Amino acid sequence: MPKQTFFNLSEEKRQSLIAAAEKEFSRVPLVKASVSNIIKMAGIPRGSFYQYFENIEDLYHYLVDLETQKRKKLFINYLKKHNGDIISAATELYKNFLEEMPDENELNFFKFAMLNVTHRVETSLTNFLVDQMDRKQYDEIISLVDKDLLNITNDDEIFHCINIVTSVALRNFIEKFTKELSDEEAIKNFTVDMNLLKHGLYKSEGEHV
Amino acid sequence: MPKQTFFNLSEEKRQSLIAAAEKEFSRVPLVKASVSNIIKMAGIPRGSFYQYFENIEDLYHYLVDLETQKRKKLFINYLKKHNGDIISAATELYKNFLEEMPDENELNFFKFAMLNVTHRVETSLTNFLVDQMDRKQYDEIISLVDKDLLNITNDDEIFHCINIVTSVALRNFIEKFTKELSDEEAIKNFTVDMNLLKHGLYKSEGEHV
DNA sequence: TTGACAAATGACACATTGTCATCTAATATA
DNA sequence: TATATTAGATGACAATGTGTCATTTGTCAA
């Protein structure tokens, strides 16, 4: 997390720093991003940067978290809309993710986050729902999920389901970027995966040949 | 890939370089690893390093690939042993992975690979089966998989199944390290996930309440 | 013996990071 | 008003690292 001094900054200065950082992280993946570039763009002295953040990763993860928050809210909305059907909600979120990307910069930001998934980003993205910090939202989701739909024997397995869906979704998303799939292809692949998850990779006893 | 010069080296020199590199990559994650340390340990001049490798990532991915090859062979063996049952094979591989780690160094090497999954490592690990480069093994796997077991409508979906299993497996593995789970807990979680994948996250029509 | 070429070598230019001593400004206190 | 206190701003700097390149070394064929 950024230090308090960052939040004490004027809205204007803070936004200009964020803008500079987003630009840098859209230019290159985190590993190649440099503090020097960001402060040059933002026009602040080097010392100040370290007054606000531990280091460049601190800033990066702050930005990723901001984005993650947005998606989390969206997902909760979709879960309501689809009456607790997590796969329907995940599918709509995925489509929204793909279609709602107008800004070249923002796209690159996500692209690099995907291509260079460090652990903290990864958990932030795949655990974006199962996050102990946030008990309220956690409980909200539990209450929203339609358990009758799921093939589970206890509440604990709800989280297994959510984790499976999110890790497969993340994988699809990464693949879209690395294989440069069109949105149509990406959604087609995603749908196949989701159906396999829904009905099982294995035939049930009855239909077994 | 390392340059030809690396492969022209004497077995002894090559092994000492690999040993030094493994030590460095077990000490810290790739981002923090330094060429300077490796050459100091291996006792080779700086210029030589760049004679052998493009850069430090080149070396790192070479080592990861070496490890991946080992697992790929193991998986194929397990697939045979379990008569084409991919989930049984994946489960045994996972257990083997967890149990067969005697060396502290090797463990850390994997740990960092997991915690700091850059795209190339990630695809190398999750796509370790579906890898266009290697048509022979690719075909071998197709012929090994018991399609009657799977809930698929065409051959293409075999790869969807494999990808789903591997990405959920990878996720489990990462979680074991980040949450410092015991092997028992890890395997328990893994088994729950695999059962959900097998029989489906959703109840089938028949059993729906 | 010599020429040619692959490989080895390490000094070097350049870039980047995080720190720290010092300065500035704003606010509290007497 | 004068002074003290404290948060924050600043940029020079030491430390470290990277990749390159001109030069040297070694090997092998003619």
Side-chain angles (χ1 to χ4, degrees):
Chain A
M1 265 313 244
K3 302 177 185 173
Q4 188 52 46
T5 47
F6 175 69
F7 298 107
N8 292 345
L9 250 34
S10 72
E11 183 66 20
E12 189 198 341
K13 212 169 182 181
R14 194 147 25 97
Q15 285 309 322
S16 104
L17 222 172
I18 287 179
E22 279 175 346
K23 199 164 173 190
E24 177 70 357
F25 294 131
S26 304
R27 187 182 66 84
V28 285
L30 172 58
V31 211
K32 309 261 177 188
S34 89
V35 173
S36 298
N37 274 332
I38 294 171
I39 61 175
K40 206 185 296 166
M41 284 192 281
I44 62 167
R46 186 163 199 82
S48 295
F49 182 93
Y50 289 95
Q51 207 80 15
Y52 309 145
F53 308 100
E54 285 307 328
N55 48 41
I56 199 170
E57 296 196 7
D58 189 19
L59 168 54
Y60 182 67
H61 293 301
Y62 171 67
L63 293 184
V64 170
D65 283 349
L66 282 186
E67 282 299 333
T68 305
Q69 291 308 316
K70 283 192 212 162
R71 308 295 154 182
K72 189 188 277 190
K73 280 176 194 152
L74 257 185
F75 183 81
I76 289 177
N77 286 340
Y78 289 151
L79 205 49
K80 285 175 189 160
K81 181 174 161 190
H82 291 280
N83 304 311
D85 182 333
I86 57 175
I87 290 190
S88 296
T91 305
E92 184 159 358
L93 185 67
Y94 187 71
K95 287 180 181 171
N96 168 286
F97 224 75
L98 292 179
E99 286 158 4
E100 183 247 74
M101 292 274 198
D103 186 349
E104 177 88 13
N105 260 18
E106 199 185 358
L107 180 78
N108 268 321
F109 181 81
F110 272 105
K111 188 169 169 177
F112 286 133
M114 294 296 140
L115 295 183
N116 193 3
V117 189
T118 64
H119 165 247
R120 217 177 124 190
V121 177
E122 204 258 356
T123 46
S124 173
L125 288 167
T126 65
N127 273 348
F128 80 119
L129 285 169
V130 185
D131 177 347
Q132 288 133 329
M133 297 304 112
D134 209 330
R135 202 58 172 187
K136 241 183 299 172
Q137 280 181 317
Y138 182 97
D139 288 340
E140 187 184 3
I141 287 165
I142 293 295
S143 70
L144 282 172
V145 169
D146 180 357
K147 293 174 203 166
D148 286 342
L149 219 52
L150 294 174
N151 193 11
I152 55 176
T153 55
N154 62 59
D155 273 15
D156 200 40
E157 292 187 6
I158 293 176
F159 297 109
H160 282 263
C161 291
I162 291 178
N163 282 339
I164 287 171
V165 172
T166 51
S167 69
V168 171
L170 178 67
R171 193 216 151 67
N172 267 271
F173 207 64
I174 293 176
E175 199 167 83
K176 180 201 157 37
F177 283 126
T178 56
K179 298 196 176 166
E180 295 179 348
L181 302 178
S182 69
D183 286 4
E184 293 71 37
E185 288 172 307
I187 288 171
K188 199 180 127 218
N189 284 344
F190 188 80
T191 307
V192 171
D193 280 4
M194 287 299 134
N195 278 328
L196 282 165
L197 289 186
K198 267 187 192 172
H199 306 117
L201 273 55
Y202 282 27
K203 283 180 182 155
S204 60
E205 290 305 308
E207 42 184 342
H208 202 301
V209 181
Chain B
M1 265 311 245
K3 302 177 184 173
Q4 188 52 47
T5 48
F6 175 68
F7 297 106
N8 294 342
L9 250 35
S10 73
E11 183 66 20
E12 189 199 341
K13 211 168 182 181
R14 195 148 23 99
Q15 285 308 323
S16 104
L17 221 172
I18 287 179
E22 279 176 346
K23 199 165 173 188
E24 176 69 358
F25 294 132
S26 304
R27 188 182 65 84
V28 285
L30 172 58
V31 212
K32 309 261 178 189
S34 88
V35 173
S36 298
N37 273 333
I38 294 171
I39 61 175
K40 206 185 297 166
M41 283 192 282
I44 63 168
R46 186 165 198 81
S48 297
F49 182 93
Y50 289 96
Q51 207 80 7
Y52 309 144
F53 308 99
E54 285 308 326
N55 49 42
I56 199 170
E57 296 196 6
D58 189 20
L59 167 55
Y60 182 67
H61 294 301
Y62 172 66
L63 293 184
V64 171
D65 283 348
L66 283 187
E67 282 299 334
T68 305
Q69 290 308 315
K70 284 192 210 162
R71 308 296 154 181
K72 190 188 278 190
K73 281 178 192 152
L74 257 186
F75 183 82
I76 289 177
N77 286 340
Y78 290 150
L79 204 50
K80 286 174 188 161
K81 181 174 163 191
H82 291 280
N83 304 311
D85 182 332
I86 58 175
I87 289 189
S88 296
T91 305
E92 186 159 358
L93 185 68
Y94 187 70
K95 287 180 180 170
N96 168 286
F97 225 77
L98 291 179
E99 286 158 4
E100 182 249 72
M101 293 274 198
D103 185 349
E104 178 88 14
N105 262 15
E106 199 185 358
L107 180 77
N108 268 320
F109 181 80
F110 272 104
K111 188 170 169 176
F112 286 133
M114 293 297 138
L115 295 184
N116 192 2
V117 189
T118 64
H119 165 248
R120 219 177 121 189
V121 178
E122 204 257 356
T123 46
S124 173
L125 288 166
T126 65
N127 274 348
F128 80 118
L129 285 170
V130 186
D131 176 346
Q132 288 133 326
M133 296 304 112
D134 208 332
R135 201 61 170 186
K136 242 183 300 174
Q137 280 181 317
Y138 182 98
D139 288 339
E140 188 184 3
I141 287 165
I142 293 295
S143 71
L144 282 172
V145 169
D146 180 356
K147 293 174 203 167
D148 285 343
L149 219 54
L150 296 174
N151 194 8
I152 54 177
T153 55
N154 62 58
D155 273 14
D156 200 39
E157 292 187 6
I158 293 175
F159 297 108
H160 282 264
C161 291
I162 292 178
N163 282 338
I164 287 171
V165 171
T166 50
S167 69
V168 170
L170 178 68
R171 193 216 151 67
N172 267 271
F173 207 65
I174 293 175
E175 198 167 83
K176 180 201 156 41
F177 284 125
T178 57
K179 297 196 176 165
E180 295 180 349
L181 302 178
S182 70
D183 285 4
E184 293 71 37
E185 288 171 308
I187 288 171
K188 199 181 128 219
N189 284 343
F190 188 80
T191 308
V192 171
D193 280 4
M194 287 299 133
N195 279 327
L196 283 166
L197 288 186
K198 268 188 193 172
H199 306 117
L201 273 55
Y202 281 26
K203 283 180 181 153
S204 60
E205 290 305 309
E207 42 185 340
H208 201 300
V209 181

